[in-house]
Structure formats: structure tokens, C-alpha cells
Amino acid sequence: MSATEFHVESLAGIAERLRSAGCVFAEEEAELLLAAVSGPAEIAAAVERRAAGYPLEHILGWAEFCGLRIELDAGVFVPRRRTGLLVNEAAALLSADPKREPLESSEPAVVVDLCCGSGAVGAAIACRIPGLELHAADIDQAAVDCARRNIGRVGGEVHQGDLFDALPRAIKGRIRVLAVNAPYVPTGAINSMPHEAREHEPLWSLDGGTDGLAFHRRVAAESSEWLRPGGNLIIETSERQAGGTSSILAHAGFAVRTVRSEELDGTVVVGQAGP
């Protein structure tokens, strides 16, 4: 079916086109596209792009994440719902919950969103815990440009570079929470990923090396000197790879625990630095 063979201003017609292309949430996506694009030609083009496997979030220019609308440019990693667990755990560690270490009143807690992509994780943490000193970093220029808009809204700074090389020296040894959503898909599994991820997200945002844990090793090896005493490293991983990620952090000297959310289908490993 071509772009001219369905009623471009009809919700039902657009939903039918998307459903025939394999979109599971065709009605919801049709509503979002109609709200985001004006004019029959623009609507038709947007629907055809989506039917061809282009990520909905890249067409809309934003992604919903943890209740926020995160600006998203073409070619930037789309934040996943499961990564909300990373935000939840970071917020819990930073909160004044009496079961946890409270924030000091003398200076703001330093939080870093490493491998930040669009900056969704850092922005969501800052929205839940006000008064942070927030930094985010990514190696990709397109991601950094996008993150600067999202992180800038909550008063944070975004840096470009390879992992810790991007961060300002002034925060070394001061980080309270280091939140990391580094690539963790094994190289051999990339071809089995959904088309929209393989074709429209950069490979370096997906490929975690032979076993998917190459970046986890690099992060764990350097984190201790960047965290403050008792600070926490939180790494998103898969349920299958959680044992490997935990072992990496344990060998790096962290006290380790794994958190799993069936609701979000998310898994994170939390490492606490020594005193």
C-alpha cells in the first residue's frame, strides 16, 4: 500500500497501515503521528517511514521516559522503558530514606550519567532529586548535542569523550552515584535485534563486545577513583548477563547486589565503593 492509498487524515486508515506493517500499538502510534505532523503529504510521509521500520521516536522528535518528554534526534539511541529501573535505583540511593545514607547539606550530591545518549537517565534522576550537581557524558557528537538540550533543562552539564576521559577532573573522587547504561549486546547478537535498532541507532550504542561486557569491565576498572567513599556505581545489564556484570564489579572491589524488575523487564547491578 502506498502513501496515497490510505486516508491520511483518518485515524483508522493510518492505524490499519501501521498494523499491516507489524506495529503492535498501531492505534496509539497513529494518534501520536497525527498530533505531531500537519498536512496530508507530511502525515503520509511520516506513516510510510514508520511502516518501513523507522523508529517512532525519531519521527516524533521525542521519547517518553519516566514521565518525561525527552527530545530525540535521528541517529541517537532511543531510551528504553526498562532503563527506568536505573533511574529508580539511583533516586532511591540519593533520597533521604532513613534506611539509606542521607544527603549532606553542605554540598550537592554529584551524579554522573555515563554513556548518556540523549541524557534521559540524568534528566529523570534530576527531576526526582532536586539540587544535584549533574554531569553526563557520551562519545558521540549527535548524542551530546541532544543530551545538552535535555540535561540543560535540569541544570546539568554534558561532556564529550570516551567514558571517564570526558569528565571534568574537579569531580574525581566526589561522585555519589554513577549511573551507566553502556552498550551490553554481544557482538554476535546484534543481527538478531529489531530492525529499527539495527538500522537506525548507532552500532557503538549497542555493541558491548564478544560477551557484551567489555564496557562493564572498563567502567568497573576506573570507577573507584571517581566515586567518593561509599559511592555507588549502577550498571544496566540483562537478566542473563547479570552474573557476569556482578562478578566484574566484585573483582573490582565493590560490594555488589543485583536488582530485578519484572514490571519493567529491567536488571541493574549496584556496586558500592568501600569507605
Side-chain angles (χ1 to χ4, degrees):
M1 184 183 294
S2 71
T4 58
E5 291 178 308
F6 63 92
H7 299 292
V8 293
E9 294 182 350
S10 162
L11 177 62
I14 293 172
E16 180 183 353
R17 174 71 183 105
L18 296 178
R19 193 178 301 107
S20 70
C23 297
V24 177
F25 303 104
E27 286 79 10
E28 292 89 338
E29 292 194 12
E31 290 177 354
L32 289 168
L33 288 172
L34 279 172
V37 185
S38 60
E42 291 81 5
I43 293 172
V47 172
E48 286 306 308
R49 289 172 78 200
R50 179 60 185 139
Y54 202 85
L56 175 67
E57 295 84 358
H58 288 163
I59 298 172
L60 299 176
W62 58 270
E64 192 281 329
F65 180 73
C66 291
L68 302 177
R69 181 173 287 198
I70 300 296
E71 288 191 34
L72 201 67
D73 297 331
V76 176
F77 182 81
V78 178
R80 287 14 176 197
R81 181 172 180 268
R82 62 176 173 265
T83 305
L85 181 60
L86 190 65
V87 174
N88 292 346
E89 190 60 28
L93 289 166
L94 289 161
S95 73
D97 185 329
K99 296 179 181 179
R100 300 184 185 273
E101 182 184 354
L103 293 175
E104 289 82 356
S105 58
S106 57
E107 62 177 22
V110 178
V111 173
V112 171
D113 177 3
L114 198 62
C115 302
C116 69
S118 64
V121 168
I125 294 171
C127 283
R128 295 195 189 180
I129 308 292
L132 301 175
E133 180 182 338
L134 175 64
H135 297 266
D138 201 284
I139 197 169
D140 180 45
Q141 183 66 59
V144 167
D145 290 343
C146 188
R148 282 183 173 144
R149 301 199 300 275
N150 293 310
I151 293 288
R153 281 195 204 93
V154 294
E157 297 182 30
V158 182
H159 315 278
Q160 184 176 7
D162 184 22
L163 297 181
F164 296 96
D165 289 345
L167 299 178
R169 305 295 108 175
I171 66 171
K172 196 168 189 178
R174 295 178 51 225
I175 299 174
R176 172 73 177 268
V177 169
L178 175 61
V180 183
N181 186 16
Y184 57 87
V185 179
T187 302
I190 296 292
N191 287 336
S192 65
M193 294 187 70
H195 166 84
E196 57 191 69
R198 286 186 287 109
E199 298 297 323
H200 300 288
E201 294 178 323
L203 180 62
W204 54 80
S205 71
L206 306 171
D207 192 344
T210 302
D211 63 355
L213 302 177
F215 285 97
H216 294 184
R217 294 186 182 91
R218 289 184 61 197
V219 169
E222 294 187 57
S223 291
S224 293
E225 58 188 297
W226 286 86
L227 291 168
R228 73 171 205 173
N232 288 275
L233 165 62
I234 315 172
I235 299 184
E236 179 176 310
T237 189
S238 70
E239 187 174 16
R240 179 179 61 82
Q241 293 164 297
T245 302
S246 296
S247 178
I248 289 168
L249 267 62
H251 279 94
F254 289 93
V256 179
R257 60 188 173 87
T258 298
V259 182
R260 171 73 185 165
S261 169
E262 296 300 331
E263 178 186 1
L264 295 173
D265 190 25
T267 304
V268 300
V269 174
V270 183
Q272 184 174 34

